[in-house]
Amino acid sequence: MPRDYYEVLQISRSAQNGEVKKAYRKLAMKYHPDRNPGDTDAENVFKECTEAYEVLSDPKKRQIYDTYGHDGLKSSGYSGPGNFDDIFSSFGDIFGDIFGFGGGRGQARKNGPIPGNDLRYDLAISFMEAVHGVEKEIKITKKDTCWTCEGTGSRPGYSREECPSCGGRGQVIRSQGFFQVSSTCPRCHGEGQIVTEPCGDCDGLGLVDKSKTVSLKIPAGVDTGAKMRLTAEGEGGRRGGPAGDLYIVIYVEEHEFFKRDGNVVFCKLPVPMVSAALGADVEVPTIHGKKNITIPEGSQSGDIFTLEREGVPSLRGRGKGNMVVELQVMTPTNLCKEQKEVLKDFDKLCDKHGQNNEHEGFFSRLFSEVLGK
């Protein structure tokens, strides 16, 4: 004997219509066969839940069930779920989540305006263009509204007709074992109507290919992944529907010298060994021009200098980030004989003044640690 419908939907006998719908929605989403392919148990639970919902969501059937139970329903001629078309119509939001179309089995779109699709354009710009902002022009090819038929797809003087395959519903019903499933009509693609006399310019599509040049003003401070939305620059609508939007997705190319993290710019500055040893004023290229910094005597590779407000401008107009400069002390190469002799003399002087002892002491401590001595 079938289980109690209230028990199936896990609701009380006093549950209101909203509670019945909510309970069924939760269970239908969980046990629908499309989400549990090959799971017979889930399919059986789905059938059971659907039958319970069909009865308890109908005031007359529910009254009979509450008074006489399952036998009363049989006596009244009810034999379980039949055509699921009624369920799609009355509770389309559930199946919209499952199948990917809206409630009402396509009726919201039938005969109505169809908005155009949004478009995406990936735009690569240089590091400096991203830092300072830039104006660009891009050429896009898109489907735009056919002005001959005004997006209807029909030749002027003719109108669309009801789709004979789905009777204008936009959905077709197919049997799947014990129950039936509704899907988008393959002939009218869910629109409920077909073009019998197609427009000569768009071949009945309501859209034509169009190339257009679009001007962009990219603000200073953008970074990879930033998006710009251009309203109504996407594909054209049909039957009076609005055009979609165009989304520009920014990709910023790498720079050979500068690196970026948010609004902070990083760079590694090579300096001659002698300048690092004696200290010097050195010129630093920044994204805003040249700056001078003073490096102290005895500077080492890895020493950090921060230049305030020499970074990337904020997109919100709140000043600029900083620039972080890391020193890289350059060891000279391709030395001539005279240079080598001078460096040897310099090394002897370092020994004399004990300036090499720190280096030797470090390795002595390291070897002692490794060897456990």
Side-chain angles (χ1 to χ4, degrees), residues 80 82 114 139 143 151 213:
I114 301 177
K139 186 175 182 180
K143 297 289 185 181
T213 299

Side-chain angles (χ1 to χ4, degrees), residues 125-134 219-223 252 260 312:
I125 61 176
S126 71
F127 185 92
M128 287 301 184
E129 287 175 335
V131 167
H132 299 293
V134 66
V222 297
D223 205 351
V252 180
R260 176 180 174 184
V312 179

